[in-house]
Amino acid sequence: MTNAVQPVTEVKQRAGARRLWIWPIAILISFPIAGYLADLVVDGVDSVGAALVGGLIAGLVIGAAEWFALRRWVPWLWIPATSIGMAAGLTAGAALVNYGISRGDILLMGAITGLGVGALQALVLARSQVSGALWWAIANPPAWALGWFVTSYVITKNVQDQFTNFGASGSVVFGLLTWLVLAMLFRKRTPEPI
């Protein structure tokens, strides 16, 4: 009897893993839009208030797109967790580097932003009983820093605009790296039916 049930579960797991393909697309679309919308409101991360408001706005857009990709596995709490995590991380990171725009400054700011986002998102994953949620918190700081690193070479003239997050070039790298982590985390989870 167990053999008859197991293939169905394996089929559901494979189908669920295939549904993760939307993650890198959601990242690629949401990051530039989030940065643009936040920049329309705060016009550069050059103060605590701008970092806080810009992080909330960008995090809301990014969190909504990510949740859309992961909605079979995580609750809507992913959205506020991303927004609050980004606001806290960006505020702390930007202040720590004194709102600097050197490559080292944006790498550190990105890592701290990733720490804020990854930690709160990991709590949502843990609440959703995703085994290994801590790996998500560990993977995010270097992934965010790498996203900024790649972007710093592509939009070198625009870095002085002090955007809230990296752009499309960095989001491709970030999306693919975090996609691999998610595939590892969700490999044994069956998505909830929509």
Side-chain angles (χ1 to χ4, degrees), residues 12-184:
K12 284 184 180 180
Q13 287 174 355
R14 281 192 300 253
R18 281 195 298 263
R19 288 185 185 106
L20 275 176
W21 66 266
I22 198 165
W23 174 265
I25 294 169
I27 297 299
L28 179 61
I29 292 169
S30 68
F31 269 73
I33 292 171
Y36 178 74
L37 291 175
D39 194 55
L40 285 176
V41 174
V42 300
D43 195 27
V45 177
D46 56 3
S47 67
V48 169
L52 186 62
V53 171
L56 283 170
I57 294 168
L60 183 67
V61 173
I62 292 166
E66 291 176 346
W67 173 79
F68 179 77
L70 300 178
R71 68 191 183 281
R72 294 174 182 254
W73 293 276
V74 298
W76 63 271
L77 290 173
W78 185 272
I79 300 169
T82 306
S83 185
I84 294 166
M86 185 162 176
L90 182 62
T91 300
L96 181 66
V97 299
N98 199 28
Y99 310 98
I101 58 169
S102 74
R103 189 159 283 124
D105 290 341
I106 62 175
L107 288 174
L108 182 56
M109 182 187 69
I112 293 171
T113 303
L115 179 63
V117 172
L120 290 184
Q121 288 177 340
L123 290 174
V124 175
L125 289 171
R127 184 176 184 271
S128 300
Q129 300 177 352
V130 174
S131 178
L134 180 61
W135 286 110
W136 186 251
I138 292 169
N140 264 271
W144 276 78
L146 186 58
W148 267 114
F149 182 74
V150 170
T151 293
S152 73
Y153 279 101
V154 175
I155 62 163
T156 54
K157 295 178 182 173
N158 294 353
V159 170
Q160 71 271 9
D161 291 336
Q162 296 174 296
F163 293 111
T164 55
N165 55 276
F166 45 86
S169 56
S171 67
V172 169
V173 175
F174 174 83
L176 293 175
L177 286 175
T178 53
W179 186 30
L180 294 173
V181 176
L182 288 170
M184 179 191 74

